[in-house]
Structure formats: C-alpha cells, structure tokens
Amino acid sequence: MSFWWLALKDMIHLGRDKKAILTLVFMPILLIGILGAAFGNMFQEEEAHIQKFKLGIVNHDEGELGELLEKELFEKNLATTAEVESIEHDVELLRQLEEKQLSIGLILPETFSESILLGEESSVNIISIPEAEIQSSIVEIVTQQFSETMGVELTGMKLVAEAGDRAGNPAGFEKHPAPVILGNPTELPFDVLKETTIEPDQKQVGSFQYYAAGMGVMFLLMTVVNGVGAMLEEKEQEVYRRILTTNLTYSQYLLGKLLGLLFLATIQLAIIILGTKVLFDVHWGESIAGIVLVGLAYVFSACGLGVLCGSLLKTEKSFSTAGMLGTQILAAAGGSMVPLYVFPEWLKEVVTIFPNALALQTFLNVMSGDHIQAVVYEALILILMGIIFLVMAFMRLSLERRKSYA
Amino acid sequence: MHKVFTIIRLRVITMLKSPGGIVIMFVMPFVFSVIFGGISAQETANKPLVLLVADESELSRDTVTLLEQNPQYQWLEVKEAEAREKVKTQEAIAAIIISEDFASKIEQELPIFEVINQRQTQEYVALQPILEGVARTIIRSHQLASEVNGIELSHLLKEISSRDRVKLEREIIQKDGNKGETVSLMSVGFTIMFMMFGIAGAASTILDEKKEGTWQRVLTTPATKGQIMIGYLVSYFIMGWIQLLVLMIAMSSLFGAVWGNLGYFIPFASIVIVTIVGFGLMMAGLVKTSQQAGALSTVLIVSSCMIGGVYWPLDIVPEVMQQIAKAVPQSWMMSGLREIISGSLHTDSLVKAVFVLLGFNLLFYSLGLKKIRYH
C-alpha cells in the first residue's frame, strides 16, 4: 500500500505550502463573498431593485389613449420606477438619447388609439441606450399590458353595443368611449399564479442558489486544472525521476497522485458548499447524503477528466493555459454562467457528456428537494465517466512510457 | 528597432509553431465562437419553451389561444405527464396547467394558472408578467360578462384573441440617426473573459523562460532590456489580436455577428488587448513561478469578471456592487464595446472608457515593469 505514502507526502507538502492553502481556502471564500454581495440581499427584497430611470415620451397619438398611457400609467403608477418627460419631436428625443440624458425613449404613433379601438396592428417604438436593456423591457411590458387591458374593455363595450343593437336598443355607447379608470397594469386583484414544482415537496431554485452551484462546479474544475498542472510540473522536473527510483511501481505512482488530487478537490468542494451555507445561508437541499454522494461523484469524474487532459498534453505550460480556457468553455457550456436552454439544441445534447453539466443539474435537483435515491443514477454516471476518463488516461500514459523505453 | 522586430518575429513564429499556441490562438477561439455565437443568434431562432396543459373545453381553448399570441416564447401543448417530464429535464422552462372552471376560481379569488417550474431563471421571471397579463384579461372579461347581459365570456375572449396586437419595436439609439437593429451584447462579456484567460496566461512565459535559461541567453544578446521587453509585449499583443480575429471571423461567418463600426472597434479593442497584456505582465512581476501566476490570475480574473458584470448583468446587483464594478477594468471594457457594437457610439462614455483603461494600463505596466526581475 505504498501509494498511500505518496498521497500523504503530497498532502504534507500542500499543508506546508502557505500559498497553496491560501488559494485553497481564500479563493472560494473570496468568490463566495462576491456572489453573496451580488445576490445575498435578494432574499430580503423579492423584487430586483432597478434604479429609477428617465423615460422620454413622444406622443403623436391623435386619440386619448396615448395620453392616458403617459399620464396615468407612466407618470402616476410607475412614479417610483421611471421619471417621465414629455417631448415634442422625435429629433429631440433622439438627441437626448444620444447624449444619454434619457435612458429610454417611447414613440407612440398617430394611430395608437385608433388601432387599439379597432383591434388593428400599430407599431410603437422603444429606443434605448445600450446599457438599459432591462429598463427597455419594463417599458415594453407596461405598454403591452396597457394596450391589452384597453383591448379587453373596448371589446367588451363593442359586444355590449352589438347586443344592444340586436335588441333594437342602442346602449348609448359612443364610438370613442370614455376610457375606464385604470388600475396599475402590474397589479392584480389576487394571486393568479400558483407556483408548484414537479414533486409536491420540492422547492424552486432561486438565482443565488443557481449561481452558487454553478460557480462551485466551475471552481472545482479550476482546482483540478491547478492540481494536474502541478503534477505535470513535477514530471518535468527531476522530482518525478527520483520518485521512480523508489520501490513504487508506475501504477502505484499514478494511484498515489490521483488520491492526492481527489483529496484536494474534495476539500475544495466541501469548503465551497459549507462556506456558502454558513456564510450566506445558501440552501443546498434537504438531503445531506445526496449532496455528499453527488459531490464525491463529481470530484471523481472531474479529476478523471483533468488527468486525461493532462496525459494528452506534454508540458505544464500548455496544459495550464489550455486548461483555464477549456474550463471556462466547459463551465459556460455546462450552464454555470447562463442557463442551459439559451444554447442551441445540438449543444444541449453535447453537454450531457460533460461532468460539470450533469453535476450542476444534479446539485440543482438536490436543492429543489431530491433525495439520495433520486440522484444515485446520476452519481453512478458521473463515477462511470470518471472511470472511463481514468482508464483512457492510464492507457495513454502507459503507451507513452513504453515508447520512452523503446 | 530592428532588434525589437527580430524578437517579435521569433516569438510569434515560436507560438505559431507550438501545438499549444495553435490550440490557444485558433482552436479555442473557434470552439468558443461556436458555443457563444449560438447564444447571440439564439434570440430569434430558439425561444424558450413553455408547455401548456389544457383540456378541450371552450374556455381552455380560448386561453391557450390568448397565451400563444405572445411571440417571446415557444408554446407547446402536451399532456400533463409529458409536461412534468420535460420541466424536470429542463427542456421547458415551465409548464402551465389551465383548468376550465375560471368562474368559480375568480369568484373565490383562487389562482387561475398552476405553473410548474424548477429553476427561477431570468426567462422564468420574465414569463410571469405575461401569464399575469392573460390572467388579467380573463378576470376582466369575466367581470364584464357577469355584469353586462348579452355578453358571453367565451365570445368575448374570442373577440379579444382575434385582435391584432400592438407591435412593439425595441432598438438601440444609433449615433448617425439610422434605424438600428437590436444586437445581442451577451457575448461581449464572454469575449473579454476569454481573452483575459488566453493572454494573461501566456504572458507568464517569461517566468518559464527564466527557469529554462533561455531568458538569460536572450539577455546576453546586444538587445537592451527595454527592447527585449517591448518585443515580448508586442508579441503577446499580436497573439491577442490573432485570437480576437479568429473569434470575430468565426462568429461573423457562422452566426452573422456584428462588431459595429470597425473604425472605432479596432482602436478600442487594441486598448483592451494592451490592458490585458499589462495585466499579464503585472501578474508575472508579482509572483515567482508560472504555476503561481496561473493560480493567482485565475482568482483575479474570475473574481473581477464577477464584479465587472461579465457573468450576469449589473442591473440585478445592489447599488454598492454597481459602484465597485467601476474599480475593475472589465466593466469599462464592456461599456466601451457595448457602445461600439450597438452603434450608439456615445462620445462621453467612449472617452471615459478609454481614459479609465489607459489609467489601468499605467498602473499595470508601472507595477509590472518595476516588479519584474530580469536576472
């Protein structure tokens, strides 16, 4: 069992290296800290707090609805979100937008009221400065809902009028009925949506949870890249040859190294999970056993992938640079930065063989309430992947060794 | 000058000949473009899928028609079991169960739609107002129908869904007053992150060369330290541009990505690359081995990318974090590139971004050149 000694040696080596300990502990805590600062207080405030923005409205509308939208809705009901400024001409609006005096410009066409009355198409322009993407979608939603609400009222009146006509009794509605008093279109009389999850005891996963898991999964890949990089460096230096002069066989050497790497990665993941839980109260799900199982399985497959990539590249230098870029690509494609469904179909199929993508989804499943039984299958796949990676790496390394002796 | 060129030529040729260099300069940017270009092109092609579970009753059919009018999502009707399966596997962002007895639900003020969802992502959050809008329409129609004789709820809903919608066109302000198209700026941040990893890592080559002894040999040549340093830095700059060019060409040809006015883009991108090279140089100066440089620059790049709004939009983070974002170069690179690619070209923002980045350059290069040990 001499390979244990090698793993132990690596651990002691690591323990004495202050810088390594710093990166092992400090790195995740720093990143978690940033995550917490960015998303932490989302728990208290349900609504994302968008800063008040300036909205310029050019109202060409010949009817009354444009003014209603501007005065009642944007000026009164959205007073906390938008500061409304009436502007006469398009040119002036564009000039102010160009100079960033306004964030969003809204141009209502001449036929705005008419088209809503008749249920015909009309086009409204929303022009924004490049950084105001979210604000521009707020204006879009409000305008859309305004026209829909008005549409309902008008259609209702039309039907009443028609009913009246049929009864030979004109109900007294005019062609341009006085608009009814509007509530805030973003308010509803009661909760109309009942949100549930697939299983009754599951919970929805919030954005802080999502990014905590996503970044954690990405971070572990980086640790593995660093770990494997260190192995390659050792191989380039004379340390490796000296170790080979000992009683260790080649397989024992590899096993010992792998154990060290697994241990390192496990500590890392544990720090990330515990750190986010203790410091920022991130909920990692009910099932501790489930998280441990998925975590260990992921560590195993990530290390396997790292070792495989390490066996394919010769120098530490090229491995580290390619490894870092590769990690980012894997992490991004695996959904650590943006959710998976924004990617094209083919990519979604491809990423199913990435350990990080599978691990992330499984972590999220545990967060939403899956128990250990539900994740055993995924964990097994991860372990299987790890074994395949390692076997491939071992074959490649043995081949290389044989060549070097030949 | 001749000596500097010789060093640059040597470095560039070495990089072009090594397999690692080819992977970093050509393969990685290409793979990256294929993945991220897909997101940008996504917006029109592949909308998030929302499933609808409804029975055959007239009111349910009307509701489905109302929902399906929304063009931002792809709506698909399925059976409930299938819906649950697809939400579980993340194929669909949510499933909506529509029941027919609106009337009693509205009277008892009970939820009208049951929404099955697992992950509260941005797309899901954006779906809620749409559902609420339709719910509002139904509630109001129900009110009208119950208050006024002669109107049937179903008839009313049909009338409403036969209406044409107001078409809202969103665009970004253009400098020359042209009508602009909305471009996705999502890949801008990822491009910056990618280049930081690519170039900053390579800049630690000096440390490797010192270890291997080639650096010392270069120092024995008649070239001065300044010339050698300039030669190395320029070669990294060229490498950065090769990466960016591969990326730009791949994204433009595969996905039709736009890069804005090249007269602005090329100079600004050059400043960005110079800044990143400076960052790499500073890293190489601060640490002893390239191993350390790798580990440290990873932390710094990832954390500053998080702060600078590369991974998620800064609009959703607290005010304090938005201010802190100004202390990292990425946020300025993003704001400059955003102005250029979107075509807005706001002079003040661009000038500010350029000056702040020059400030970062001053910091990086003075620290790097001071700290780097030639012997």
Side-chain angles (χ1 to χ4, degrees):
Chain A
M1 296 298 271
S2 40
F3 61 84
W4 286 106
W5 288 103
L6 191 63
L8 192 66
K9 179 225 99 179
D10 275 358
M11 278 306 108
I12 294 172
H13 193 67
L14 189 78
R16 289 197 186 136
D17 185 353
K18 288 203 187 71
K19 274 197 187 121
I21 293 290
L22 203 68
T23 39
L24 198 64
V25 181
F26 171 74
M27 269 162 83
I29 298 293
L30 176 81
L31 296 191
I32 294 162
I34 297 172
L35 263 181
F39 294 100
N41 54 358
M42 278 188 149
F43 287 113
Q44 284 92 44
E45 299 162 51
E46 276 287 304
E47 295 280 316
H49 36 89
I50 302 281
Q51 272 181 300
K52 198 167 172 177
F53 62 92
K54 282 201 173 165
L55 167 71
I57 301 180
V58 182
N59 184 4
H60 295 302
D61 188 15
E62 285 166 349
E64 293 150 348
L65 294 180
E67 192 162 329
L68 193 73
L69 173 69
E70 180 181 342
K71 302 285 176 219
E72 290 295 321
L73 230 77
F74 281 114
E75 271 182 31
K76 281 194 190 152
N77 291 334
L78 284 171
T80 48
T81 329
E83 193 184 321
V84 181
E85 193 183 323
S86 282
I87 294 169
E88 285 283 322
H89 300 288
D90 290 9
V91 185
E92 173 64 13
L93 180 84
L94 293 176
R95 191 190 61 77
Q96 292 204 20
L97 278 168
E98 263 179 44
E99 285 165 19
K100 298 209 173 172
Q101 289 162 350
L102 296 171
S103 300
I104 310 283
L106 177 69
I107 302 178
L108 301 173
E110 289 167 13
T111 54
F112 184 65
S113 293
E114 200 189 323
S115 62
I116 292 182
L117 285 173
L118 302 173
E120 282 169 1
E121 200 177 283
S122 70
S123 70
V124 173
N125 287 65
I126 299 171
I127 307 160
S128 73
I129 56 171
E131 54 265 46
E133 219 179 322
I134 295 184
Q135 288 83 346
S136 130
S137 62
I138 293 177
V139 173
E140 182 183 3
I141 288 172
V142 170
T143 312
Q144 186 78 64
Q145 294 194 341
F146 170 80
S147 59
E148 269 162 29
T149 316
M150 292 317 294
V152 177
E153 301 297 330
L154 294 166
T155 315
M157 286 175 192
K158 194 180 101 190
L159 290 186
V160 173
E162 278 172 11
D165 278 346
R166 273 200 299 277
N169 166 29
F173 285 104
E174 317 227 322
K175 281 285 173 220
H176 288 257
V180 277
I181 302 131
L182 276 171
N184 184 340
T186 49
E187 257 169 35
L188 282 164
F190 57 92
D191 258 351
V192 288
L193 304 182
K194 180 181 161 207
E195 295 184 301
T196 55
T197 46
I198 292 167
E199 305 296 334
D201 56 343
Q202 283 181 329
K203 294 187 187 73
Q204 284 174 299
V205 174
S207 53
F208 189 15
Q209 278 176 298
Y210 189 96
Y211 281 119
M215 291 285 136
V217 165
M218 170 174 97
F219 204 70
L220 194 83
L221 285 180
M222 291 183 172
T223 311
V224 171
V225 168
N226 282 334
V228 176
M231 284 173 161
L232 283 172
E233 204 188 8
E234 194 184 271
K235 204 171 152 189
E236 281 171 34
Q237 293 165 352
E238 298 308 305
V239 189
Y240 169 67
R241 285 162 208 252
R242 264 179 246 167
I243 291 175
L244 283 191
T245 60
T246 60
N247 277 336
L248 281 179
T249 63
Y250 189 63
S251 343
Q252 280 173 332
Y253 167 77
L254 286 182
L255 204 58
K257 279 282 158 194
L258 181 66
L259 267 181
L261 184 67
L262 285 173
F263 190 63
L264 177 81
T266 311
I267 296 178
Q268 183 76 86
L269 191 64
I271 291 176
I272 294 171
I273 294 177
L274 289 175
T276 45
K277 186 161 180 59
V278 173
L279 294 176
F280 299 104
D281 213 23
V282 171
H283 184 71
W284 283 82
E286 307 296 335
S287 166
I288 297 173
I291 280 289
V292 171
L293 178 70
V294 179
L296 290 177
Y298 174 51
V299 163
F300 185 69
S301 66
C303 288
L305 185 62
V307 171
L308 176 62
C309 294
S311 73
L312 294 176
L313 286 167
K314 288 218 175 63
T315 62
E316 184 270 328
K317 168 111 207 73
S318 53
F319 174 77
S320 290
T321 318
M324 281 308 151
L325 285 176
T327 305
Q328 294 303 305
I329 291 178
L330 276 188
S336 282
M337 298 165 194
V338 280
L340 277 183
Y341 46 70
V342 306
F343 292 112
E345 280 304 320
W346 63 267
L347 190 66
K348 278 185 254 177
E349 300 291 324
V350 172
V351 296
T352 45
I353 57 158
F354 291 178
N356 63 318
L358 181 61
L360 176 59
Q361 294 311 324
T362 319
F363 273 131
L364 294 172
N365 285 341
V366 179
M367 280 177 168
S368 65
D370 267 3
H371 291 292
I372 184 158
Q373 299 91 323
V375 296
V376 167
Y377 176 67
E378 280 86 356
L380 281 177
I381 293 181
L382 280 170
I383 293 172
L384 193 70
M385 278 187 202
I387 293 173
I388 294 172
F389 293 143
L390 285 174
V391 168
M392 281 162 70
F394 185 75
M395 278 159 50
R396 156 88 200 168
L397 286 172
S398 314
L399 204 72
E400 189 186 279
R401 217 165 91 89
R402 230 168 270 155
K403 266 188 203 154
S404 72
Y405 281 119
Chain B
M1 229 24 206
H2 179 69
K3 289 167 190 162
V4 175
F5 280 127
T6 314
I7 295 173
I8 298 172
R9 230 189 82 214
L10 176 78
R11 297 287 324 148
V12 172
I13 291 176
T14 320
M15 284 189 287
L16 284 176
K17 278 188 179 162
S18 76
I22 290 172
V23 168
I24 290 161
M25 279 188 283
F26 298 99
V27 181
M28 290 283 192
F30 185 77
V31 172
F32 178 87
S33 312
V34 171
I35 293 173
F36 285 93
I39 310 184
S40 320
Q42 190 75 12
E43 287 189 325
T44 44
N46 217 339
K47 301 172 202 161
L49 179 67
V50 179
L51 302 171
L52 299 171
V53 181
D55 54 34
E56 288 306 313
S57 76
E58 207 171 356
L59 282 177
S60 298
R61 306 292 357 133
D62 293 336
T63 313
V64 170
T65 323
L66 275 176
L67 281 169
E68 280 176 346
Q69 279 187 329
N70 185 290
Q72 282 151 300
Y73 293 87
Q74 191 188 328
W75 308 88
L76 184 70
E77 261 197 272
V78 290
K79 293 267 171 291
E80 188 167 341
E82 193 186 339
R84 283 178 187 278
E85 187 53 37
K86 285 202 163 145
V87 172
K88 189 160 198 260
T89 55
Q90 300 296 302
E91 270 177 71
I93 56 172
I96 296 149
I97 298 178
I98 301 163
S99 56
E100 52 164 333
D101 53 341
F102 289 125
S104 68
K105 281 198 167 154
I106 293 169
E107 271 148 29
Q108 295 168 47
E109 305 212 335
L110 285 174
I112 302 179
F113 297 126
E114 190 181 335
V115 187
I116 307 174
N117 161 260
Q118 296 287 91
R119 318 258 188 273
Q120 279 174 313
T121 51
Q122 282 186 24
E123 285 75 8
Y124 174 70
V125 175
L127 174 69
Q128 285 175 322
I130 293 166
L131 295 179
E132 285 169 359
V134 172
R136 189 177 303 111
T137 302
I138 292 168
I139 295 172
R140 184 62 191 145
S141 308
H142 173 76
Q143 267 176 347
L144 281 174
S146 55
E147 279 165 14
V148 184
N149 287 330
I151 303 186
E152 261 182 71
L153 180 54
S154 168
H155 184 192
L156 184 55
L157 288 178
K158 276 203 186 64
E159 280 283 324
I160 292 166
S161 54
S162 70
R163 290 170 60 95
D164 279 325
R165 295 159 57 92
V166 170
K167 232 170 81 195
L168 289 147
E169 279 172 27
R170 276 165 69 180
E171 56 183 283
I172 290 176
I173 181 81
Q174 300 290 303
K175 174 87 168 177
D176 45 12
N178 284 346
K179 247 181 89 80
E181 286 167 39
T182 326
V183 276
S184 168
L185 298 171
M186 206 172 186
S187 49
V188 173
F190 290 122
T191 309
I192 293 173
M193 175 198 75
F194 179 79
M195 293 185 49
M196 289 198 88
F197 273 103
I199 306 172
S204 59
T205 321
I206 297 178
L207 296 167
D208 283 328
E209 294 216 351
K210 270 196 217 166
K211 201 171 70 189
E212 287 159 13
T214 39
W215 177 256
Q216 285 83 346
R217 264 177 247 170
V218 175
L219 283 181
T220 62
T221 60
T224 63
K225 280 177 195 164
Q227 285 170 334
I228 297 173
M229 201 36 103
I230 293 172
Y232 271 74
L233 293 178
V234 172
S235 67
Y236 298 138
F237 176 78
I238 293 173
M239 187 185 140
W241 255 116
I242 295 177
Q243 272 190 342
L244 186 58
L245 272 180
V246 172
L247 208 140
M248 283 169 71
I249 294 169
M251 279 207 190
S252 303
S253 52
L254 291 175
F255 302 104
V258 276
W259 298 96
N261 185 335
L262 290 182
Y264 287 85
F265 184 83
I266 294 171
F268 191 81
S270 301
I271 297 176
V272 169
I273 296 174
V274 169
T275 314
I276 298 174
V277 172
F279 175 79
L281 177 74
M282 183 182 73
M283 286 285 95
L286 289 178
V287 297
K288 289 204 192 81
T289 64
S290 67
Q291 182 75 38
Q292 289 171 347
L296 192 61
S297 47
T298 310
V299 194
L300 287 181
I301 294 172
V302 174
S303 54
S304 56
C305 280
M306 282 162 101
I307 296 173
V310 165
Y311 296 118
W312 45 74
L314 285 175
D315 288 293
I316 63 169
V317 304
E319 177 69 26
V320 192
M321 291 302 289
Q322 292 183 11
Q323 295 302 323
I324 294 176
K326 292 184 179 153
V328 296
Q330 283 96 327
S331 61
W332 297 99
M333 296 174 185
M334 298 245 322
S335 87
L337 288 176
R338 211 161 37 199
E339 290 293 334
I340 295 168
I341 296 176
S342 69
S344 145
L345 299 172
H346 181 237
T347 321
D348 280 3
S349 308
L350 277 174
V351 171
K352 217 167 147 193
V354 168
F355 274 99
V356 174
L357 286 179
L358 289 179
F360 276 110
N361 272 307
L362 199 67
L363 175 79
F364 292 159
Y365 282 96
S366 55
L367 253 177
L369 291 173
K370 199 175 156 210
K371 288 275 177 185
I372 201 132
R373 285 161 289 258
Y374 289 93
H375 292 287

